Amino acid sequence: TDTRGNSPARAPSRPPRARRPPRSPKSAQPRSQVSMKRATNSAHFVAVASTRLISSPQSAFQDSKLDRACEAIYELCSASGYKHVAKEFPHTVQDLHAVYVTYISLDSSLHMKLWRTRYSLLLWLGVLLLNPFDIKSIVEDDTTFIAGLFQSCSTALKDAGPTREAAAFCLATMLNRKDVPAVYLEKLVRQTAVLVERLTTENKNAFQTLGAVETLAAIFKRGDRTWLLLIARKAFEAIRPCFENWECGSFRSLKHVAVKLAARVGISVLKPRSAPWCYSRGKRALLENKFKILDERKDHIEDESDNHENIGLEDGRFQDMLESVMETLLRAIVDTDTRIRWSGAKGIGKIASRLPRGLADDIVKNVLSLFDDTGSRDDDNAWHGSCLALAELGRLGTLLPVRLPEALSALTAAITYEFRRGNHYVGAHVRDAACYVAWAFARAYAPKVLAPHLPSLIEGILLTAVFDREVHVRRAAGAALQENIGRQGFQIFGDVGIKLTQALSFFTLGSRDRTFVEIVPAIAKLGYWELLFRKIIKERIRHWDSPIRHLAAKSLYALVSSIDDKATRHGVVHRVILMLSDLVGQSRDLASRHGSLLALAHVTQALGTLDSNHLSEKLSAIVPRLEAARFYRGKEGSLVRIAACSLIAALASCGCQLTVKAQLRLLDALDHSSSHAIEAVRIAAAAAARLLTTSYFAISNSNFISQPGERLLSRIVLKYIGAIREPATANASRGACNFLGALPARLLIADDSTLDAIVDALLVRSYRQDVVAGERDAETRRDALIALKHIVSAIRSRHLTESRVLKLHSAFVQSACHDFGVDQRGDVGSWSRIQGLQAAVNLSAVLHHRRKKARNGSKDRIVPCLVGRAIINSHLVLAARPFISVNSRFRWGGGESEELCCALLRNMGEQLDATRSISLLLMPEFFQHAPAVPRKKQIEVLLFTDAKKRDIPGRLCACLVLGGFYHDALLDGLIQSAGCGDSKISCEFRHALVQQAVVMSKSLDYADRIGLAKALMLKVRALNRPVPAWSVEERNRFHLPFLRCLAALVDAGALHPIFQTDVKGSVATGSLAYHLVSSLSTLIASPRLAKQVSKTCAAADSLLAVLSATAATSPLLANLSLAALVRSLTSPFPRIRAYVAEQLYTRLIELSIVNECFLDTEKLSLAQVLLGNAAWGVSTCMFHLEDTVSQLTQALVINNDDVDIQKPARRTPQRSDELDSYTCLVRDAGY
């Protein structure tokens, strides 16, 4: 025998293979090929290993090693496909009988468990049957073997899983062998006909029918044509019922395979040669396009090709069947299933390439007619299937150059296809298929054929690659563009084509924003400016999707900005304004109005300055026309409002010449949008108001500051102050805050009373206890803080007096940073905390800037008295009146810096990622501006030194050594993150906190050892009684995380120093431990906590941790904690009783092995028995558990006075109402 175990008499060994050339390194191979090679190599190793597991099994065979090997093979097949993996199976002929016997000997009782094993063995049998040797020389009884394998595979065709596919592969391989009798193939065809008929009439045996049709399809793919011609008509008639009820069929997989089989049946009855009249480019190379035009076959051979004897039907009897097949395939390309359309298109292309030219041309005309049919305009499936068929016809040469103009006309229409269906548009798959058609044409035709049509084709592909909404369509168009330029248009486009292909690469087209904003200007410089401009103006700004309209406006801005010549730019802007200004006020289409407004706004901004009075009047009249036509109303009217605000902002930014009446009219339009219910509208209105008031209401010269008139103040400032003080709705309050924050300094500092009124009104709205329209509003608090931040930046340090700074600092640090409001949206107080931190850091930066100026000699800061007006040169200016003597010096001291630094440190340890990241970013900025921060150097070293080596939780926990207020602030934040749950970040914070606490507990300094314990004890006391500094939200938010962290710290031994001495001694640590345990006992027994199950269970966990920590060192502390735990067993809530009993039972088991425990083993065992036998989680009355609790107190040596059973109050029977049951029914139904 040879090295593979083959006998020379039976199966001679194969000749030695030629030595392969050295392979290229893996880095140079595509990733898909490398992964495919790895998968196939793994399959080969697994399959070779599994050969050793095949012996001579008996009935009910099962081998765990074989099962695991087959599971590995199935996973590889799932990843790479069974066709690639099956090639690597061992194909030694003597394995055939062993694998077959192994398959039929598998334990039938484990049918569902061993399906992977059967799947792998069937694939292996299929590969072994490909062996060219006669089957009689491989097995002893070939008749029995063939009959048994046919029966086994037929049975496996009933499976609903992958085993059916493997059985179809194995059965098709066997029936394609010449030494297998044809009777089995005829039997399979008859079975298929019966199964299909039964499925269409009785809806039975769906998977078995699918498996039988799959087997026939595989046979017709690789079978001998001599045999296939004998069963072709029978096979087609067997599957014909699948196509009779085409529209209402539900089993789509069967139809897909049936279409495949029909196409292969049609191919099998035709002569296996491509028609000589088909177009062929012959041999071609990419580099040769630059130097010469390749020779190609002439079209004059059409005269002699129609009567060629080597093409057409093999037998005239199949003509009617071939017509039925073509009818089926033409119906398949308009099916609703993509797989069916794709199979039908491939079948049409292959059959047409073997037909005479006249018949093939009829097929081409039939496919092209679908693009011109008005009835199929709204049928996206028909367009998609026709594009696929067109690509196949062109790829196989059936679409001759004579039909190319019609095909390219259809391609131009398909590449922009989009049809509205309900509230959305369809057509992305049609455009993707059209790009595939363009790609196929570039490879199918010579440059001379496509040259007349190439410029228009490139333009259509280019616009799709740049402006399409879907990323896969853009990338498909980019690939088609590269193919057409590389193979067809190098002589036409030259270097421009190379630059186009580089700009429209696979990765650059992946981002839609980047394509619209960055790629469009780059392509415009290559000579396509006018083409892109027309596409944006006529289509993209009117797109149905609002993000596309926004991107189109930005792209238009980039196009206009790319024009260097100022006169040309003015001409383009004038052209756009004249085209779109009338469309905004007249069009009833929302997309057109919205897109036109956005385009006008961006084009006006791109211009820079607008000097034309005619264009200014035309643009300023757009917004009043919108209001008069009531275009703000209706669905998505908010989009028009936002676009109108953008237009007003653009007019103000470019210095448009407006009359006073027009200015006030635009201001009124913004005023109406300021109280809109949608936040995006309010933000857009505030941004436009900032530019409008700055451009037209903040006129100043170099010597004087013009003072606003009383009418202007009442029209703008006082109006919004009143809206803040007495808001009609919460939206009105939010909008007023946004508007006040957007006002320029000239209107803010009109006089001291105005500025104080603005600041006071905003401060009132920023407090966490503030109520707007009857309820607390988080958005109003956030917007008020943002407005105060903008006002501080606008008025600068000159008008920041001591009283104002103290008010602002208190609002930012003491109020906003302690806003822990929660509603159904979650932690809405984080909005105020973030804005408060940013505003406080901004305030310190502004004051630091003034402090630098003070070093130049100025000692006092005084505020001008803005009174007295005079008219000079028709401008309103401030009369020269001396400053009033108001000492406004405020030195930002260490106390303010420490308070703000504590707020930053606390928010660094918060639960939310946004709060942590913003606080971490604000800390360096604060250190840069703040003049005096206690322990600044230490904080910088702990937080920012070696930041890459340590994570944020570890750095923050290291800052606990700072002590003082820093310690308390950090501990509050760390507890919130460490005890909020079991997320990854919570576990990291909890681990870092426990590690730092353990390190501090081992410190030599006594104050460091008990510092954390003191802080924890004070916080437990704060939970027991109200603390003025804590709000109700803060207390509720802090309660549960603190108890969880306390339990973790005690379990880790971080509080071990305070549990060393018994409380009877006079040592301070003992007194501290006693107060901690007594506070926990009081907390778990408080009526306020009794109804909160999670918090009560967390408090019980803390007491259980104390019990374990003090069992051997402090009996009195252990007894106190144990008494509190037994008291919690008397809770009226079953969940609390069950949880405490279960955890206490576990702890008592642990105490039974502790040396020097304060309780002996007998008492602990008795307590465990009592805890285990009682039904603590049953919703019964507590009177049944009184005896168990009393026995527990005696067993654990607990004073009965320390355990007070909480007896539930007896309910007095009430008179029942006849409507009670109906009320419960309505409530349970959710009404």
Side-chain angles (χ1 to χ4, degrees), residues 361-428:
D361 191 61
D362 292 340
I363 295 174
V364 173
K365 287 191 293 185
N366 198 329
V367 172
L368 290 175
S369 65
L370 292 174
F371 295 100
D372 299 329
D373 187 9
T374 56
S376 63
R377 175 63 187 172
D378 57 345
D379 189 359
D380 57 303
N381 297 322
W383 279 68
H384 181 252
S386 301
C387 287
L388 296 177
L390 200 62
E392 290 298 315
L393 291 172
R395 192 174 63 86
L396 297 176
T398 312
L399 183 67
L400 295 178
V402 180
R403 293 287 182 185
L404 199 56
E406 300 179 29
L408 291 176
S409 176
L411 173 60
T412 304
I415 209 168
T416 59
Y417 180 85
E418 202 166 38
F419 181 76
R420 182 169 184 173
R421 182 173 295 166
N423 294 329
H424 64 284
Y425 282 72
V426 296

Side-chain angles (χ1 to χ4, degrees), residues 797-854:
S797 61
R798 182 177 181 181
H799 302 278
L800 290 176
T801 61
E802 181 176 0
S803 60
R804 291 170 186 164
V805 171
L806 291 177
K807 290 180 181 179
L808 292 171
H809 183 268
S810 175
F812 296 156
V813 179
Q814 298 177 3
S815 179
C817 292
H818 290 80
D819 189 349
F820 299 99
V822 179
D823 61 7
Q824 67 273 14
R825 295 169 294 182
D827 187 6
V828 295
S830 62
W831 305 341
S832 297
R833 296 199 299 274
I834 292 173
Q835 297 301 329
L837 291 174
Q838 292 177 346
V841 173
N842 179 65
L843 177 62
S844 67
V846 171
L847 293 175
H848 180 67
H849 179 70
R850 184 185 67 179
R851 186 170 177 266
K852 285 185 177 180
K853 289 184 178 181

Side-chain angles (χ1 to χ4, degrees), residues 138-150:
I138 301 175
V139 297
E140 296 178 358
D141 189 357
D142 58 326
T143 305
T144 305
F145 173 79
I146 294 174
L149 185 58
F150 182 85

Side-chain angles (χ1 to χ4, degrees), residues 228-303:
L228 297 181
L229 286 174
L230 301 177
I231 63 168
R233 183 178 295 277
K234 296 180 181 179
F236 182 72
E237 294 297 332
I239 61 172
R240 186 186 287 270
C242 296
F243 312 125
E244 294 178 354
N245 193 13
W246 192 278
E247 289 78 9
C248 38
S250 58
F251 202 27
R252 311 299 301 173
S253 299
L254 177 61
K255 287 190 176 181
H256 174 224
V257 181
V259 169
K260 269 188 180 181
L261 178 57
R264 292 171 183 174
V265 168
I267 295 172
S268 65
V269 299
L270 294 171
K271 294 181 180 180
R273 289 188 182 183
S274 296
W277 58 264
C278 292
Y279 178 82
S280 175
R281 287 183 61 182
K283 297 180 180 180
R284 52 194 181 273
L286 291 175
L287 294 178
E288 294 179 0
N289 292 333
K290 182 177 181 182
F291 305 105
K292 62 180 180 179
I293 300 176
L294 300 176
D295 295 333
E296 57 192 73
R297 297 187 179 182
K298 306 299 183 180
D299 295 334
H300 66 269
I301 62 174
E302 62 181 88
D303 298 333

Side-chain angles (χ1 to χ4, degrees), residues 712-729:
L712 183 60
L713 287 177
S714 61
R715 169 65 183 78
I716 301 178
V717 181
L718 300 180
K719 176 181 179 180
Y720 292 113
I721 292 176
I724 289 179
R725 289 176 176 174
E726 297 178 359
T729 59

Side-chain angles (χ1 to χ4, degrees), residues 377-544:
R377 175 63 187 172
D378 57 345
D379 189 359
D380 57 303
N381 297 322
W383 279 68
H384 181 252
S386 301
C387 287
L388 296 177
L390 200 62
E392 290 298 315
L393 291 172
R395 192 174 63 86
L396 297 176
T398 312
L399 183 67
L400 295 178
V402 180
R403 293 287 182 185
L404 199 56
E406 300 179 29
L408 291 176
S409 176
L411 173 60
T412 304
I415 209 168
T416 59
Y417 180 85
E418 202 166 38
F419 181 76
R420 182 169 184 173
R421 182 173 295 166
N423 294 329
H424 64 284
Y425 282 72
V426 296
H429 58 307
V430 178
R431 299 193 298 273
D432 183 58
C435 294
Y436 171 62
V437 174
W439 179 86
F441 282 0
R443 300 174 65 90
Y445 296 97
K448 189 175 77 171
V449 177
L450 272 180
H453 317 284
L454 192 60
S456 59
L457 178 62
I458 290 295
E459 290 180 358
I461 299 174
L462 174 63
L463 294 177
T464 302
V466 174
F467 292 122
D468 200 90
R469 180 176 180 266
E470 307 299 335
V471 59
H472 66 277
V473 179
R474 292 196 303 273
R475 285 174 168 170
L481 183 70
Q482 293 176 6
E483 199 73 21
N484 277 273
I485 290 178
R487 294 183 180 271
Q488 303 284 339
F490 186 82
Q491 295 179 342
I492 300 176
F493 295 95
D495 295 338
V496 175
I498 296 177
K499 293 180 181 179
L500 272 178
T501 56
Q502 290 175 349
L504 299 175
S505 64
F506 178 85
F507 296 103
T508 55
L509 295 177
S511 173
R512 188 167 59 186
D513 295 354
R514 182 182 179 186
T515 304
F516 273 80
V517 179
E518 298 180 11
I519 305 302
V520 167
I523 296 176
K525 295 179 181 179
L526 300 177
Y528 293 96
W529 191 95
E530 186 65 27
L531 177 68
L532 299 173
F533 178 78
R534 289 200 309 267
K535 181 71 173 181
I536 293 174
I537 293 296
K538 293 182 179 180
E539 296 183 15
R540 292 297 96 181
I541 64 172
R542 307 177 189 185
H543 196 268
W544 59 273

